[in-house]
Amino acid sequence: MSQNSLATQFTDKVVLITGAAGGIGREVARALLDAGAIICIGDINTDGCDETVRPFLEKDKSRKHLIYSLNVASSSSVKGFIDASVAAFGRIDYAFNNAGILCSPKLLADVDEDEYDRVVDIDMKGVFLCLKYQIPAMINTGGKGVIVNTASTHGTVGDKLAMAYIAAKHGVVGLTRAAAMDYVDQKIRVNAIAPGLTLTPMIASRLADPELRGPLLSKIPMQRLAAPEEIVGPVLYLLSDASSYVTGQVMVIDGGTTVM
Ligand SMILES: NC(=O)c1ccc[n+]([C@@H]2O[C@H](COP(=O)([O-])OP(=O)(O)OC[C@H]3O[C@@H](n4cnc5c(N)ncnc54)[C@H](O)[C@@H]3O)[C@@H](O)[C@H]2O)c1
């Protein structure tokens, strides 16, 4: 595939993105807007989504897009998001299921059930609900049918004091592999990214504490965090035809952290 077709293949395609009010989701949404895509972004923070698209609307007020007040942990909310996207633009071509939250740092036995449920409901069940409603919508509308889920390095290895997040992100890896196999005959591709520490609002407050920052950085061979922009290329690769023979895989983007 030529570089040119990589740059143009998202033009006028309908791309759903969750968690696009900031961080990684915002950077991916903006890259897709740059590539001419029609984006449908769902997030509990719709003001942040307005900010994500604002520079593009300033250039062209008629720019097609949809912002949806979404809670990925709610079946009716996710179904509403998918239905609204199909009603607005007639089909769904691509999806980036990226919304997520961290858990508070605690030993497993100190995690109460409410916090466990909250993290698993948003980080894992949220991805299940997105897949459950997106895949039939992609098939029924004749969309391109390519999905990327955001897992984490914590979906591939263990760590201390992050049980609920680690469990949920391993679940995202499992959901990715299962969905890829269930729908391989329908030519739907499903892959995941597993970022390492990335400088986004999610972790900014934890990194502000020098006592936490030093030990976190010392685990990274590249000795720096990822910028959210550095996660964009792998996502676009997995969405694009450049990865047409790749499905059910997890791409780790972590500066070498999980290699050591
Ligand atoms: N930042 C990192 O170091 C890192 C590392 C590995 C994986 N990740 C994953 O990347 C994804 C994006 O995180 P980020 O770092 O850009 O952080 P972020 O906090 O900037 O983005 C997360 C987004 O999800 C949204 N969100 C939270 N709960 C939601 C819900 N119930 N329904 C809908 N939207 C909801 C937030 O409003 C926010 O816009 C997450 O899944 C996160 O687990 C982040």
Side-chain angles (χ1 to χ4, degrees):
M1 192 179 63
S2 72
Q3 287 297 323
N4 192 35
S5 65
L6 184 63
T8 57
Q9 68 184 262
F10 298 112
T11 306
D12 293 330
K13 293 289 191 284
V14 180
V15 189
L16 265 60
I17 306 169
T18 69
I24 294 167
R26 169 175 288 171
E27 294 306 322
V28 170
R30 286 182 171 173
L32 286 163
L33 282 165
D34 263 335
I38 298 167
I39 60 164
C40 302
I41 53 180
D43 201 297
I44 39 166
N45 174 3
T46 52
D47 288 348
C49 292
D50 287 337
E51 183 57 27
T52 296
V53 299
R54 189 182 50 77
F56 295 84
L57 292 179
E58 280 173 0
K59 280 189 224 148
D60 175 5
K61 257 192 247 161
S62 65
R63 191 69 203 254
K64 285 188 198 166
H65 72 288
L66 181 134
I67 292 173
Y68 194 89
S69 175
L70 171 71
N71 176 6
V72 290
S74 154
S75 183
S76 59
S77 182
V78 174
K79 185 172 183 310
F81 176 45
I82 310 299
D83 289 348
S85 303
V86 173
F89 304 117
R91 63 178 201 283
I92 299 173
D93 294 303
Y94 301 94
F96 179 42
N97 298 321
N98 168 73
I101 57 168
L102 273 181
C103 59
S104 53
K106 284 180 190 155
L107 288 171
L108 183 149
D110 298 329
V111 176
D112 62 43
E113 282 186 52
D114 284 349
E115 180 175 9
Y116 176 86
D117 287 345
R118 196 170 107 79
V119 173
V120 170
D121 279 356
I122 294 173
D123 288 356
M124 183 167 79
K125 185 178 163 195
V127 173
F128 158 64
L129 292 173
C130 287
L131 294 168
K132 176 177 169 62
Y133 294 112
Q134 278 159 3
I135 292 173
M138 285 172 164
I139 293 169
N140 294 337
T141 62
K144 179 91 180 161
V146 189
I147 300 172
V148 174
N149 300 320
T150 301
S152 165
T153 48
H154 281 140
T156 68
V157 293
D159 202 352
K160 292 179 176 171
L161 303 176
M163 177 277 296
Y165 186 78
I166 289 168
K169 292 297 188 179
H170 274 74
V172 173
V173 170
L175 282 164
T176 300
R177 292 178 175 147
M181 294 301 95
D182 275 354
Y183 293 96
V184 71
D185 292 344
Q186 282 93 339
K187 300 191 169 33
I188 302 282
R189 292 195 299 114
V190 189
N191 290 292
I193 54 161
L197 279 176
T198 307
L199 193 50
T200 68
M202 178 179 270
I203 60 158
S205 60
R206 296 207 182 163
L207 289 165
D209 179 347
E211 282 196 21
L212 285 179
R213 191 181 171 93
L216 285 174
L217 283 177
S218 72
K219 291 184 189 170
I220 306 171
M222 284 193 184
Q223 296 187 345
R224 65 176 179 85
L225 272 56
E229 296 85 345
E230 292 178 286
I231 313 301
V232 173
V235 175
L236 295 193
Y237 162 71
L238 288 172
L239 289 176
S240 77
D241 288 347
S243 62
S244 54
Y245 199 54
V246 180
T247 197
Q249 299 298 326
V250 181
M251 180 181 282
V252 178
I253 313 150
D254 70 350
T257 306
T258 54
V259 175
M260 296 229 294

